[in-house]
Amino acid sequence: MKVKNLMTEELITIDKDQNLSDGLKLFRKHNISRLPVTNVNQENQKQLVGIVSERDIAAKLGSSKYENMPPSRFHISSVMVKDVISVPESMELVDVAKLMLDNGIGSVPVESDDVMVGIVSKADFLTLAVGKAFEKIAVEDVMSSEITSALPSDRIVHARRLMIDAKVGRVPVIDNDELVGMVTSKDLMRTFIDFRKNVPDKYQKSQIKEVLVEDIMSDNPRYVNKDMSIAEVANIMIETGFNGLPVVDNGVVVGIITQTDILRLISELES
């Protein structure tokens, strides 16, 4: 199957000179986590110049380099990733999957004759994992047993660093082996933005260190068990939009399964 058969053709983009708040509105309105960034060239055509994600924004807003800059001064160009990997619409899906896995990216723009015609993400690949072949594969055979987690009492600046170091967009919050919450890049991004809006500049550096994971985490997070099938998990991810789910067995967190794990499985089965 070619990537053009799976890609999303309805393109939602943002100009590199637009304000960060414009990007946040698009994230919320369309329930997406990343946006292709464009610039109008001399021929009045939109040219792909970058991509911006909630994870990128959370990483930048929480860094000391930008700690004194108000959100109103952030332009998309200052938080986007400039080195964008794109693929031709004729590329085989299995090759696109391998490209995404090898480069640790969540989506790739699709181009035809140097014009962006779509975008394909890990979420799009989930539709391939709901067939009968995936009903026979259990979560425990695919999940990651090495868990990057946070404590409720951890500071959010620590949770941010955990996500950056582990290259993940969400971490389970675990207390005495029990799952008590979930913190995502979206949570961090919104917290950092609200904090900058509501706390005077001179207090931000000291007070941000007092915000704890338990203050922003989602309570009663969705989870799956190790005996569920990959097809069931894929359906849950499609329905909820979650890109990762903790795996719980007898009340204990034993792993996590993500869109990346399922994409890797698809790549292996299709190779």
Side-chain angles (χ1 to χ4, degrees):
M1 186 185 293
K2 308 291 185 184
V3 68
K4 67 180 180 182
N5 301 123
L6 188 67
M7 71 183 187
T8 300
E9 296 183 58
E10 182 184 352
L11 286 170
I12 302 164
T13 63
I14 190 166
D15 189 273
K16 69 179 182 66
D17 294 323
Q18 284 183 257
N19 195 278
L20 179 57
S21 61
D22 296 323
L24 301 181
K25 290 175 184 176
L26 288 174
F27 284 145
R28 282 194 290 264
K29 180 179 179 180
H30 299 283
N31 193 28
I32 53 179
S33 59
R34 55 183 60 82
L35 284 165
V37 183
T38 59
N39 183 43
V40 178
N41 61 21
Q42 293 180 343
E43 288 75 35
N44 203 34
Q45 296 175 320
K46 284 186 177 181
Q47 182 179 11
L48 180 68
V49 295
I51 196 162
V52 63
S53 70
E54 292 173 338
R55 192 187 301 184
D56 299 325
I57 294 172
K60 289 284 178 69
L61 290 183
S63 70
S64 58
K65 180 179 179 181
Y66 298 98
E67 64 186 8
N68 294 320
M69 187 182 295
S72 60
R73 289 187 56 194
F74 273 97
H75 288 89
I76 293 298
S77 58
S78 64
V79 293
M80 72 181 189
V81 173
K82 297 178 182 178
D83 297 325
V84 183
I85 297 173
S86 60
V87 298
E89 62 176 354
S90 59
M91 194 169 184
E92 294 288 342
L93 273 179
V94 65
D95 295 325
V96 176
K98 289 177 180 177
L99 181 73
M100 294 169 68
L101 290 167
D102 289 345
N103 290 277
I105 51 181
S107 65
V108 287
V110 182
E111 295 187 321
S112 176
D113 296 325
D114 295 325
V115 176
M116 186 167 54
V117 295
I119 188 168
V120 65
S121 70
K122 292 175 184 176
D124 295 316
F125 277 90
L126 290 176
T127 59
L128 303 178
V130 296
K132 288 187 177 180
F134 294 89
E135 292 175 358
K136 302 174 183 178
I137 304 173
V139 167
E140 65 178 335
D141 298 324
V142 180
M143 71 182 193
S144 301
S145 54
E146 292 185 10
I147 311 165
T148 299
S149 64
L151 291 167
S153 56
D154 284 341
R155 298 173 179 179
I156 63 167
V157 290
H158 174 67
R160 168 188 167 273
R161 175 47 57 188
L162 283 175
M163 290 187 193
I164 292 174
D165 291 345
K167 297 181 180 179
V168 296
R170 58 180 55 230
V171 292
V173 184
I174 301 174
D175 191 16
N176 292 324
D177 292 330
E178 181 183 353
L179 179 68
V180 296
M182 181 72 77
V183 171
T184 68
S185 295
K186 186 191 295 289
D187 298 323
L188 290 176
M189 178 186 71
R190 290 177 176 174
T191 299
F192 285 132
I193 289 172
D194 290 343
F195 189 85
R196 287 166 182 263
K197 286 180 180 178
N198 299 319
V199 177
D201 291 351
K202 63 180 180 179
Y203 299 123
Q204 287 184 8
K205 188 172 183 179
S206 59
Q207 290 191 15
I208 192 63
K209 296 177 181 178
E210 303 307 316
V211 183
L212 305 180
V213 165
E214 62 186 355
D215 298 327
I216 71 166
M217 69 183 189
S218 301
D219 297 320
N220 301 313
R222 188 77 175 263
Y223 61 86
V224 297
N225 67 64
K226 63 184 180 66
D227 298 319
M228 290 177 67
S229 73
I230 294 302
E232 290 178 280
V233 174
N235 272 316
I236 292 173
M237 288 182 175
I238 291 170
E239 291 170 4
T240 62
F242 296 158
N243 58 27
L245 292 161
V247 183
V248 176
D249 183 40
N250 293 321
V252 177
V253 181
V254 294
I256 188 165
I257 185 161
T258 66
Q259 289 181 359
T260 300
D261 297 319
I262 296 177
L263 181 64
R264 187 175 294 108
L265 175 64
I266 293 171
S267 176
E268 291 171 355
L269 294 179
E270 295 295 328
S271 296

